Amino acid sequence: MKSSVIVFPGSNCDRDIAVALEKLQFKNSMIWHKENVLPKSDLIVVPGGFSYGDYLRSGAIAAKSNILNEVIKAGERGSLILGICNGFQILIECGLLKGALLRNSGLKFISKNIFIKIQSNKNKFFNKYKKNEILELNIAHNEGNFFTDKKHLDELEDNDLIPIKYCDKEGNINPKTNPNGSLNNIAGIFNKNKNILGMMPHPERMADKTCSNEDGLPLFLSLMN
Amino acid sequence: MKFAVTVTLKKDVLDPQGKVVSQTLKNMGMNNLSQVRQGKFFEIDLKEKDSSKAHNQVKEMCEKLLVNQIIEDFKISKTE
């Protein structure tokens, strides 16, 4: 499978995701944001980091970069797109996903391991996980507090577009197990066609036993399935 | 031609920074306070001489980049 990782000034998870993809034999290309051409890719990853120093709003400037026009076109054609952390913020700012990521309710940057529960595995991104499986992943963000209007929330819930929610080790989903104030503990969302996923936790940081667990690895295996 | 744009979070969006500022002001003894909402301010200088055209251009800037209309409201006023 071919993948492309988009790189902006301020991206800092681009190498991590490339290592995870290459470990699974993806043929990966790193694509600088000024490029106007995107190589044919089965998967496009918009990685985490602090593109443009989070100026204006997180992801707002990156969403207007040259390459994003191509990413938008590819997304509309049905290519698989994964936005992680700042990548999720960029996908929202460019309109591929709806909603907004507000500042964490506790006003603090949060960098820690959290738990998420798989809500749905009938999609290209989570099919190697079991429904209700609990994963331990890392989050590292200041603006991860997902918010949207009632109409969009209903659309997400009615169409199985919320694949992951924050929980505790036992899988309890409630305000106490919500790290950042995200609406209904939402940790990630799909677009209508489920070919575009935005998520705040970092699966690429949990893809090698030498530095973590491997709870993120099945996500990449799912994409190959 | 200069314009001032203020951007604030919509009424039903939680503004934790505004809340903290409000609480701090109350702690300082300013008890008359009912609420503080924190926002952003842009000063935009345009070369356009026609004020209605200029206003429309600033509005377009707000809609396309400066403001996330899902969570934010904006106000434009001409300053010079």
Side-chain angles (χ1 to χ4, degrees):
Chain A
M1 272 184 86
K2 285 184 183 165
S3 58
S4 293
V5 173
I6 312 296
V7 186
F8 301 96
S11 294
N12 63 12
C13 301
D14 47 329
R15 288 306 311 158
D16 298 33
I17 186 86
V19 168
L21 291 169
E22 282 160 8
K23 180 178 169 176
L24 296 171
Q25 316 295 320
F26 276 83
K27 283 189 181 152
N28 186 52
S29 315
M30 305 301 274
I31 309 296
W32 185 235
H33 69 109
K34 283 189 174 167
E35 298 289 331
N36 289 306
V37 182
L38 189 64
K40 202 171 179 298
S41 319
D42 304 298
L43 170 70
I44 301 161
V45 182
V46 187
F50 297 86
S51 57
Y52 296 91
D54 279 349
Y55 289 1
L56 193 60
R57 292 178 305 276
S58 309
I61 308 288
K64 305 294 175 191
S65 61
N66 288 352
I67 197 67
L68 251 288
N69 293 325
E70 299 309 305
V71 174
I72 292 168
K73 279 184 212 158
E76 285 167 353
R77 279 198 305 266
S79 298
L80 296 174
I81 300 180
L82 169 61
I84 303 166
C85 197
N86 188 221
F88 185 9
Q89 294 161 343
I90 294 167
L91 293 184
I92 281 187
E93 282 288 345
C94 76
L96 283 175
L97 292 173
K98 285 196 258 177
L101 287 157
L102 306 178
R103 192 151 181 207
N104 297 339
S105 57
L107 289 177
K108 284 184 179 160
F109 185 96
I110 308 169
S111 175
K112 65 174 185 184
N113 286 4
I114 48 85
F115 296 94
I116 57 168
K117 196 172 185 176
I118 304 290
Q119 307 292 299
S120 166
N121 58 0
K122 288 178 186 155
N123 52 64
K124 279 297 287 178
F125 292 81
F126 295 99
N127 58 64
K128 288 284 183 186
Y129 294 100
K130 293 188 190 93
K131 195 175 176 196
N132 294 326
E133 192 172 336
I134 297 160
L135 323 180
E136 183 178 0
L137 296 182
N138 181 259
I139 53 169
H141 59 247
N142 199 40
E143 283 90 12
N145 177 355
F146 181 77
F147 178 84
T148 196
D149 55 35
K150 175 84 174 65
K151 191 175 159 237
H152 182 220
L153 181 64
D154 289 346
E155 187 187 310
L156 290 173
E157 283 177 345
D158 296 346
N159 297 292
D160 211 16
L161 302 177
I162 307 168
I164 46 175
K165 286 189 174 182
Y166 298 111
C167 64
D168 60 12
K169 207 173 180 177
E170 281 76 42
N172 299 304
I173 299 170
N174 58 48
K176 279 187 186 166
T177 63
N178 186 339
N180 55 20
S182 202
L183 192 65
N184 292 2
N185 285 42
I186 291 172
I189 61 163
F190 282 122
N191 67 333
K192 250 186 194 170
N193 296 330
K194 295 191 190 179
N195 64 313
I196 303 174
L197 169 70
M199 63 190 289
M200 290 314 293
H202 289 271
E204 79 282 12
R205 294 188 185 180
M206 301 308 204
D208 197 302
K209 269 188 180 158
T210 49
C211 49
S212 64
N213 65 44
E214 287 187 316
D215 285 4
L217 210 53
L219 187 142
F220 303 106
L221 293 168
S222 299
L223 288 162
M224 300 170 83
N225 197 12
Chain B
M1 197 170 287
K2 278 190 183 170
F3 289 85
V5 175
T6 51
V7 180
T8 46
L9 286 169
K10 283 184 193 288
K11 270 185 190 164
D12 53 348
V13 176
L14 180 72
D15 175 13
Q17 293 186 90
K19 266 192 169 176
V20 170
V21 171
S22 168
Q23 192 53 51
T24 306
L25 288 170
K26 280 182 190 165
N27 294 347
M28 290 162 70
M30 297 174 200
N31 297 316
N32 211 6
L33 189 67
S34 57
Q35 200 190 22
V36 175
R37 303 285 285 173
Q38 188 171 324
K40 289 177 198 160
F41 174 81
F42 300 88
E43 190 178 76
I44 298 173
D45 197 352
L46 283 187
K47 286 172 189 160
E48 179 62 57
K49 286 195 176 129
D50 180 320
S51 81
S52 119
K53 272 188 192 166
H55 188 278
N56 284 341
Q57 284 170 20
V58 174
K59 187 164 175 275
E60 193 184 351
M61 289 174 192
C62 288
E63 289 166 351
K64 290 193 172 165
L65 181 66
L66 303 181
V67 181
N68 178 346
Q69 293 186 83
I70 295 169
I71 51 167
E72 294 169 328
D73 288 325
F74 64 95
K75 272 185 203 153
I76 302 171
S77 50
K78 191 164 168 285
T79 52
E80 266 177 45

